Amino acid sequence: MPDQGPGLFRQTHLIASGAQNWISQPLLAHGKQFAYASTLAVYIYNNEDQQLQKITGYQSHTITSFAWNPRDSNLIAVATNDDHVNIFDVAKDESVKKLKMPRRNIAQLEWDPNSPHIIRCVADNNLCKINIDNNMLEQLRFSPPAGQRITRVVRNARLSSMCAIGTDKGHVCLYNTDNGLHETVVTNYKEPIVDIDFDPKSEDYMLVACASGQISMWCVQGAFNIDVKKKEIKPMVITEFLRQPAGLCACKFMPNMPGTFVTASDRHGVLRTWSVSNANPMNMIKLEQGKVHSLAPLQGVESGSKLSVSFKTGEVSIVDVRTRRTRWATTGGHTETVFDCVIAPSDPTKVISASFDGTVRCWDMRTKEQTACFYTGDAPSGRLGSDNEAHEAGRGALYTCAISCDGGTIAAAGFEGIVYFFDVESGKALKAHRVHSGAVHRIVAHPLEHGVFATAGLDGKCCVVTRDGLRKALNHTMPIQGCSWDPFQPDIIACGGKDGTIEIWNVTNEDHESIDKIRDKHTSKVYGVLYSPLVQGRLMSVSDDNTAKIFELTPDGRYTARMPVTLEGHESNVRGQAWHPEIPEICFTGSWDKTVRTWNSVTGQCLQVTKRHLADVYAIATHPARPFLAVTCSRDSTIRFWSTEECAPAAKIRAVLGKDATSCSIVGEERNGDERKRLLGRAAGRDLGEKMAASSSDGERFGAAFAALSGEPLAEELWYLATIEFTGVKDARGFGATGISVPHRSEVESLVGDAAARLEEARFAKTRGGDKKDTALRKAATLRLELGDFRAYCELMKEIGEWDAALSIAPAVSLEYWRRLAGERIKSMEKDEDADVERLVHLQLAAGKASDATSGLVRAGRDEEAFTVACTAAEGRFGPEIAEDAGGTPSPSPLKKLAPLGGGGGSPPKPAGPLSPPPAPGHHARMPSDGSGAGGPLDTLPHNLDGSLPAALKARNSLPSLGGGVGKLAPLPPIAGAGTLNKLRAVSAFGSLQTNGSGHASRDGDGGVLPPTPAGAQGVVAAAKKFIAKGGVDEASTVRGAQAATRLLHGDAIGAASRYLSVGNTREAVRALIRGSQVEMATALMRTLPESSPGSKDAAHVLACERAVELGEWEIAAEAAGSIQNVAERSWRLLLVRARFAATESNPSIVERFDRMCDATRDVAGAWEGGCGGGG
């Protein structure tokens, strides 16, 4: 069902569900795509950039298997636990056929590659085939041995008639789908068969893996052989690989790496790569996500050595097996129904969600990343409350969650009646308390008192609890499922009961009697109640009678007996509810009918029906600091983010044009010149005017406006970037800013450096759920390398034992440093009895330790090689051994100056003219409007005689420098006969030094290389501008441009604009916003950055005029048109505004009055040149 209405509840983005882990193969790859199954849907991604392409195959019951049609990637088959098989057309996102099976437990679907109408499956533990054309399920002539369960069914890709079948008792059978022949090839495995895979390059070889860690390679030649003369040819084991620890869960051939396969375990996050010619593993790949669940190699030659991996946590990643690096990963996701979500009262960017999977997860809505995950199974064991039953780890499915008003404590509860508490700062689970004897369906935080919560339980009690336990219990006569604190009277709480009654309590009363009861208004149970944050005494209830009702109460909590307003229209039970934080009349409800409805709570009118969720909508969350943003959660396991800007469509344009945004019209009403305030909340109605008036810049002013009035999570970040670009103040975000998804180019060095420093703290401490030491330090090393701090990279890699990586980068520091590092490696290898002698000798020779190499070769009995080395050393061809000083650092040797690049003589280049002086501390210079720009110097690099960089250092050009001497290159020994060479300054984080066609460095106008850049960010940017003007390429802008194009392709205009702004390309930022229909933001940006393009102010006026006309804001449309500086354009635009107004207004006197206003505006240009002022 398409959405109905004017876009009042518009989805901006979502957090996808995690991959489920209760079926053996939730991952599949086909063609240029890969997919995973969540609880109720299939998520399809493309291989190239791992962008989510489609959520399809939605089911109302849990998915048990899915399969891609091998001939048509547009068709998938999905089986569910209600005995149905659905055929879905992915492009049309619709079911083309739904088959009801007579057998239960349909699993392990596989489309027949030769017969597109046949799907094979396992049903009731029998091998079967489904004929799609006639809806028939036929059992094949194979059943597992008695008492055994089929665990794996895999087809031979090169011989499609052959299938291998594994069981839970260690049997492996081969089955011929053409003639029904089958034979058992192995019965001696003692553990379940967890995976089988055929060699994609040969029909004769098969891998078998069992849970005990046994891996075997089989030759299946001779299977089904009925020729008496060839009876001796039969399947046989040809290789037994090194037994792995118990927990083996997957074993897959890599189709683009012949002879290579990968194994994984469900007990740790380590992949092992193997060659079929070696019984021992070749390499290990450590993955930080933890326990692995399944593997699926990506298909197609272009996918190379990439492998998709799903984890027990629900996360999915893409790993490059050849390079042993993770290329992409999700940040987690719930694997079961998400029953509740809330926005932290103290931080409007933090979302908390609770799921039936037993986890509470914290999300940053700006980056869409999971920031924390709490497990109910981590709650300390022991007696819970007054009950004698101890907590069992692994239990704890959750229905509801809340976070305290100070943001310090998270509470969650579910079907056990236990309330779980988690400390946000430490990330630890606290003691859980059993305060109910039945399930808890609602927990809410006290609006003022830190760490205090109220719960509603099916045992008929509403309990006030803290992390220390029960504070007070309010006893109802019936089970209750909803409760809500009154924000105006925080001692008052309302509860909804199973019999449809709403009961009001004052928790300070000692008589244990309720204030009032509202009876007989709902015909079924009340699932939730919620007080309005804007109108005292207004209460909304939602019910299983498919309605919501609005009640008016007195300030002391008593029912006024006025008939409630009934919100009718949902087709099933209503669950989610929320009030708009700015508009008192607007509210939202979510239902089992998969829809979210927007209502006018005064008239009862349904303003919009939104259907984007694939299943029941359980919760809706809003926040007073971001009033036009909403969050929902659902049984489809997703968390979705929404914009409600169109509820007050003219608010943004009025704020941009300096008008009072609070008096804008709201959806469903006519303005009629009424200037009363319609936005009454904290962000827009109370604080916006003051913030805009107190702003010191246009960027800060517009940032405040869009934070309050935009429903886009990234709107605030875009205006931080605009402020940095316009003012040059790098710390515009404030100290300790978090959730930065698009850093400005001037912030990169400090942000990445801080991230590396935090990771390096893993040396001293490790918290639960954090990176292990080696993983954290490896990440830190990578960040240091990207910042050009080669020495720090080498030291970190040395610390975690990755000497080869450290030694490969060490020459970028200096040859002396490399030799010192090599000396340390030699000493460690000499102490290791199992060290590779060959590698040790090679390293000794390279480090100039020929004597040690000779001795080692003699001890190894390789006398002739020792003799050769000794003779070569005698002639001095290994070079001198570098002596170390007392501190272990080599003494530097002087660097003779070599000839200028490209020159044959020794005359130095002419000095360049002075650059612009450095700015004040904490500032950076603005980049040119076209996005060009590059930065200041890297340290001196050694060069070949033709001026080109040595191969080992070519990557240096694209790496930024930390400055302050960190990562500088020490001088190399002189190169005999090379003459003199000027020090060459490369480009830093803002670009890279390019060479011309002959491989020589670009020169400036005087024939010399770029001169050293003064200290300070402004000098860096000035040098970058000069460099770009001389024909250089700003690679930072190129990278950001590609990212922005991808964001636009996926409908994220603000994300695209932010990426353009981060490199100073304001023109493209404006274009991206206009393409994404963010007209108000584009208008404001053009006014904030007047240099964005010639005539940008007039273009901003035209945009504002058109948007105001579209919204019916005729007076400000005329004012915007009158502000156009170009006389002809101003007259023409005013004429259009007058004509459009006359076409909509039938009263001649009103039209005449408007014409006079337009005439007056035409004669006074620049009507809103003073910027936006801020409304009251």
Side-chain angles (χ1 to χ4, degrees):
M1 183 180 76
D3 293 351
Q4 301 172 10
L8 305 181
F9 208 77
R10 174 178 57 84
Q11 182 175 310
T12 58
H13 66 278
L14 64 81
I15 295 172
S17 168
Q20 58 160 288
N21 50 45
W22 48 87
I23 61 175
S24 59
Q25 192 62 37
L27 274 175
L28 287 180
H30 179 74
K32 297 182 179 180
Q33 298 173 310
F34 67 95
Y36 66 83
S38 68
T39 308
L40 299 174
V42 175
Y43 290 72
I44 300 177
Y45 293 77
N46 67 51
N47 292 351
E48 184 178 355
D49 60 1
Q50 291 79 50
Q51 290 293 324
L52 179 61
Q53 298 296 299
K54 179 80 75 171
I55 303 176
T56 189
Y58 166 71
Q59 304 294 316
S60 57
H61 290 76
T62 300
I63 293 174
T64 57
S65 181
F66 76 106
W68 242 310
N69 187 316
R71 295 184 175 184
D72 185 357
S73 60
N74 202 42
L75 292 178
I76 62 171
V78 181
T80 56
N81 64 358
D82 64 341
D83 312 323
H84 282 87
V85 174
N86 254 315
I87 311 300
F88 273 87
D89 185 310
V90 175
K92 296 180 181 178
D93 196 21
E94 64 183 20
S95 174
V96 296
K97 197 154 197 176
K98 188 170 185 177
L99 312 174
K100 172 65 176 174
M101 296 293 103
R103 298 284 187 94
R104 298 185 61 81
N105 304 320
I106 306 295
Q108 302 205 45
L109 296 180
E110 185 192 35
W111 226 301
D112 191 310
N114 302 315
S115 303
H117 64 285
I118 298 296
I119 297 175
R120 288 184 172 81
C121 67
V122 175
D124 277 344
N125 202 34
N126 291 295
L127 194 61
C128 303
K129 70 176 182 180
I130 302 169
N131 189 313
I132 300 174
D133 292 341
N134 58 22
N135 195 18
M136 293 291 292
L137 178 71
E138 176 186 348
Q139 183 174 332
L140 301 178
R141 288 188 290 174
F142 173 83
S143 294
Q148 299 193 31
R149 178 178 56 85
I150 296 176
T151 57
R152 296 293 291 155
V153 178
V154 179
R155 181 183 296 277
N156 189 328
R158 308 287 293 186
L159 186 62
S160 60
S161 62
M162 179 184 288
C163 289
I165 302 164
T167 74
D168 62 343
K169 297 298 176 62
H171 285 218
V172 177
C173 304
L174 296 177
Y175 177 78
N176 190 313
T177 59
D178 289 345
N179 55 31
L181 294 177
H182 60 86
E183 63 179 274
T184 300
V185 297
V186 60
T187 61
N188 61 349
Y189 292 120
K190 297 180 181 180
E191 296 288 335
I193 303 300
V194 293
D195 210 354
I196 302 172
D197 202 23
F198 286 95
D199 188 341
K201 304 298 182 183
S202 170
E203 65 183 48
D204 295 331
Y205 301 109
M206 173 181 75
L207 281 171
V208 177
C210 69
S212 62
Q214 190 171 354
I215 309 168
S216 305
M217 169 75 80
W218 284 74
C219 176
V220 295
Q221 277 186 333
F224 319 123
N225 195 345
I226 60 175
D227 189 339
V228 177
K229 297 180 180 180
K230 297 181 180 180
K231 275 291 185 180
E232 69 279 2
I233 304 176
K234 56 181 61 178
M236 60 182 293
V237 175
I238 58 175
T239 307
E240 286 283 359
F241 296 94
L242 180 68
R243 193 182 188 96
Q244 297 300 292
L248 193 67
C249 66
C251 181
K252 298 294 183 187
F253 275 108
M254 295 300 297
N256 295 319
M257 299 174 67
T260 300
F261 65 94
V262 181
T263 60
S265 171
D266 61 9
R267 300 189 182 182
H268 52 69
V270 176
L271 304 182
R272 287 182 169 85
T273 60
W274 307 71
S275 170
V276 295
S277 60
N278 191 337
N280 297 311
M282 297 187 298
N283 293 301
M284 292 193 307
I285 305 172
K286 297 180 180 179
L287 304 176
E288 63 186 71
Q289 291 91 343
K291 301 174 182 178
V292 177
H293 180 65
S294 67
L295 305 175
L298 300 192
Q299 305 296 308
V301 177
E302 66 280 355
S303 296
S305 54
K306 293 177 182 176
L307 174 74
S308 59
V309 185
S310 72
F311 299 87
K312 290 292 188 180
T313 59
E315 295 168 272
V316 176
S317 70
I318 300 296
V319 176
D320 192 315
V321 174
R322 199 182 304 277
T323 63
R324 290 181 282 168
R325 290 289 181 263
T326 298
R327 297 301 183 189
W328 169 85
T330 64
T331 58
H334 287 291
T335 58
E336 259 286 5
T337 300
V338 186
F339 278 110
D340 202 6
C341 62
V342 294
I343 303 176
S346 60
D347 183 357
T349 67
K350 180 185 291 186
V351 177
I352 316 297
S353 59
S355 167
F356 201 72
D357 63 13
T359 65
V360 174
R361 302 181 189 236
C362 302
W363 310 89
D364 189 317
M365 68 171 63
R366 298 162 298 184
T367 61
K368 308 166 195 163
E369 292 182 352
Q370 179 179 297
T371 58
C373 182
F374 301 96
Y375 296 85
T376 55
D378 291 338
S381 60
R383 302 295 176 85
L384 299 177
S386 60
D387 201 301
N388 291 327
E389 183 179 349
H391 170 66
E392 298 177 12
R395 298 182 63 189
L398 300 174
Y399 291 146
T400 180
C401 64
I403 182 168
S404 59
C405 58
D406 64 337
T409 304
I410 293 174
F415 77 94
E416 300 169 298
I418 299 171
V419 180
Y420 297 91
F421 293 94
F422 306 96
D423 185 81
V424 174
E425 184 176 358
S426 67
K428 294 182 178 180
L430 305 175
K431 182 181 178 182
H433 299 277
R434 183 182 294 279
V435 295
H436 290 275
S437 58
V440 177
H441 281 260
R442 181 62 57 200
I443 186 168
V444 290
H446 193 282
L448 299 178
E449 194 171 351
H450 299 178
V452 177
F453 302 87
T455 61
L458 295 186
D459 58 359
K461 291 191 294 186
C462 175
C463 297
V464 180
V465 297
T466 69
R467 60 167 66 185
D468 297 323
L470 178 65
R471 178 183 288 187
K472 187 169 188 175
L474 307 173
N475 294 309
H476 291 248
T477 57
M478 292 289 288
I480 59 172
Q481 293 179 293
C483 58
S484 175
W485 296 100
D486 186 342
F488 293 91
Q489 298 287 337
D491 293 330
I492 293 178
I493 189 168
C495 302
K498 186 177 181 180
D499 61 353
T501 298
I502 300 172
E503 203 158 355
I504 315 297
W505 297 78
N506 188 316
V507 296
T508 62
N509 289 352
E510 298 297 333
D511 57 7
H512 300 286
E513 294 292 332
S514 60
I515 297 173
D516 203 353
K517 294 181 181 180
I518 306 174
R519 302 179 185 273
D520 303 326
K521 303 304 178 185
H522 283 287
T523 58
S524 187
K525 71 180 178 185
V526 174
Y527 192 83
V529 289
L530 185 66
Y531 279 100
S532 167
L534 301 178
V535 181
Q536 185 172 3
R538 184 171 290 176
L539 180 71
M540 172 170 50
S541 61
V542 294
S543 170
D544 281 7
D545 63 8
N546 302 355
T547 70
K549 292 183 183 291
I550 309 299
F551 299 92
E552 300 294 339
L553 310 181
T554 63
D556 62 354
R558 299 182 183 279
Y559 181 41
T560 61
R562 289 176 53 185
M563 285 299 296
V565 176
T566 301
L567 310 180
E568 294 181 288
H570 280 297
E571 298 173 2
S572 189
N573 302 341
V574 186
R575 287 290 182 263
Q577 58 183 147
W579 290 96
H580 197 291
E582 284 289 343
I583 307 173
E585 298 92 338
I586 300 296
C587 64
F588 312 101
T589 57
S591 168
W592 281 10
D593 64 11
K594 311 173 191 176
T595 68
V596 175
R597 289 181 178 250
T598 304
W599 306 88
N600 185 310
S601 64
V602 175
T603 65
Q605 178 187 3
C606 180
L607 303 173
Q608 182 177 12
V609 180
T610 304
K611 186 174 183 181
R612 285 290 181 268
H613 276 293
L614 305 177
D616 319 345
V617 180
Y618 276 103
I620 307 171
T622 58
H623 195 284
R626 297 291 183 274
F628 289 92
L629 185 150
V631 185
T632 62
C633 63
S634 165
R635 193 165 70 90
D636 65 13
S637 304
T638 65
I639 300 170
R640 302 185 185 232
F641 296 81
W642 310 81
S643 168
T644 63
E645 298 171 5
E646 292 302 310
C647 290
K652 290 191 298 181
I653 194 64
R654 291 180 66 85
V656 169
L657 301 186
K659 303 299 182 181
D660 181 7
T662 66
S663 61
C664 66
S665 60
I666 64 170
V667 63
E669 74 166 16
E670 297 291 337
R671 278 190 56 82
N672 297 325
D674 183 4
E675 292 295 327
R676 66 181 174 87
K677 288 184 65 170
R678 290 166 174 81
L679 305 184
L680 304 178
R682 185 179 82 194
R686 189 187 72 189
D687 297 340
L688 179 58
E690 296 178 4
K691 286 183 177 180
M692 294 178 71
S695 299
S696 59
S697 67
D698 281 344
E700 186 180 345
R701 186 175 301 121
F702 288 130
F706 284 99
L709 302 174
S710 175
E712 298 283 349
L714 287 179
E716 191 172 17
E717 178 161 55
L718 182 142
W719 287 101
Y720 280 131
L721 292 168
T723 301
I724 294 170
E725 188 61 27
F726 182 62
T727 65
V729 179
K730 291 197 293 183
D731 58 351
R733 301 176 193 265
F735 177 76
T738 60
I740 300 173
S741 61
V742 186
H744 192 273
R745 67 193 315 158
S746 65
E747 301 175 292
V748 168
E749 184 175 310
S750 61
L751 291 175
V752 176
D754 290 345
R758 288 193 297 271
L759 289 167
E760 288 162 7
E761 292 176 0
R763 290 189 182 100
F764 314 109
K766 183 177 69 175
T767 58
R768 191 218 180 280
D771 293 321
K772 294 181 179 179
K773 176 183 175 181
D774 56 349
T775 303
L777 294 184
R778 187 180 296 107
K779 283 183 177 180
T782 301
L783 295 179
R784 293 298 184 192
L785 182 64
E786 292 171 354
L787 288 173
D789 190 349
F790 301 121
R791 185 185 296 270
Y793 172 84
C794 295
E795 293 296 328
L796 288 166
M797 297 304 283
K798 179 186 73 173
E799 185 174 343
I800 61 176
E802 297 193 13
W803 286 93
D804 290 345
L807 288 167
S808 68
I809 298 298
V813 182
S814 71
L815 186 56
E816 290 88 345
Y817 177 75
W818 177 87
R819 286 186 170 175
R820 179 171 71 82
L821 203 62
E824 294 180 25
R825 177 57 172 155
I826 290 168
K827 289 180 181 178
S828 68
M829 293 180 73
E830 288 173 342
K831 296 176 182 178
D832 184 0
E833 295 180 357
D834 298 325
D836 187 337
V837 175
E838 191 85 9
R839 297 184 66 186
L840 174 58
V841 169
H842 292 173
L843 194 55
Q844 288 170 332
L845 293 176
K849 297 179 181 290
S851 176
D852 293 342
T854 302
S855 300
L857 289 169
V858 169
R859 286 194 299 271
R862 297 160 63 173
D863 295 346
E864 288 301 317
E865 295 174 55
F867 178 74
T868 301
V869 170
C871 291
T872 306
E875 296 179 9
R877 280 189 274 172
F878 285 121
E881 182 177 345
I882 299 298
E884 296 183 358
D885 58 20
T889 57
S891 55
S893 57
L895 175 66
K896 294 182 180 180
K897 292 188 175 181
L898 303 180
L901 294 180
S907 58
K910 298 178 182 179
L915 296 176
S916 56
H923 286 63
H924 86 100
R926 285 194 58 220
M927 299 304 299
S929 60
D930 61 357
S932 63
L938 283 178
D939 313 296
T940 305
L941 296 177
H943 283 73
N944 297 328
L945 296 183
D946 63 352
S948 63
L949 288 173
L953 300 177
K954 285 183 179 179
R956 169 83 167 187
N957 279 343
S958 61
L959 298 175
S961 169
L962 278 176
V966 179
K968 290 191 175 182
L969 290 169
L972 289 176
I975 303 175
T980 58
L981 174 65
N982 281 326
K983 292 182 178 181
L984 177 66
R985 295 286 181 171
V987 182
S988 77
F990 306 123
S992 67
L993 181 64
Q994 303 297 306
T995 57
N996 56 29
S998 63
H1000 295 289
S1002 301
R1003 298 174 176 273
D1004 62 17
D1006 296 323
V1009 295
L1010 292 174
T1013 307
Q1018 187 168 338
V1020 169
V1021 176
K1025 291 181 178 180
K1026 182 177 179 181
F1027 173 70
I1028 298 301
K1030 300 297 182 182
V1033 177
D1034 180 13
E1035 291 184 358
S1037 292
T1038 302
V1039 171
R1040 283 299 198 217
Q1043 292 175 337
T1046 301
R1047 298 318 312 155
L1048 277 175
L1049 184 64
H1050 292 88
D1052 182 8
I1054 292 181
S1058 296
R1059 284 158 176 80
Y1060 282 126
L1061 270 181
S1062 71
V1063 289
N1065 195 340
T1066 57
R1067 178 181 299 180
E1068 289 301 322
V1070 169
R1071 290 179 63 183
L1073 291 171
I1074 293 174
R1075 286 183 61 183
S1077 301
Q1078 295 289 338
V1079 176
E1080 295 92 342
M1081 205 170 289
T1083 301
L1085 187 57
M1086 284 191 286
R1087 290 185 51 77
T1088 304
L1089 304 171
E1091 299 176 17
S1092 57
S1093 64
S1096 61
K1097 286 189 176 181
D1098 274 1
H1101 299 158
V1102 171
L1103 273 179
C1105 176
E1106 288 297 312
R1107 180 60 173 156
V1109 167
E1110 180 184 348
L1111 297 171
E1113 296 281 347
W1114 297 103
E1115 293 183 5
I1116 59 177
E1119 194 170 331
S1123 299
I1124 299 173
Q1125 296 297 311
N1126 183 285
V1127 176
E1129 178 67 24
R1130 181 170 71 242
S1131 299
W1132 172 246
R1133 191 63 56 179
L1134 281 168
L1135 183 61
L1136 286 177
V1137 172
R1138 294 168 69 170
R1140 290 178 180 177
F1141 180 77
T1144 61
E1145 179 56 58
S1146 58
N1147 190 322
S1149 61
I1150 295 177
V1151 172
E1152 183 179 354
R1153 186 166 62 249
F1154 184 75
D1155 286 344
R1156 288 197 299 271
M1157 185 193 70
C1158 289
D1159 290 336
T1161 304
R1162 182 186 58 197
D1163 299 331
V1164 184
W1168 50 284
E1169 287 301 306
C1172 62

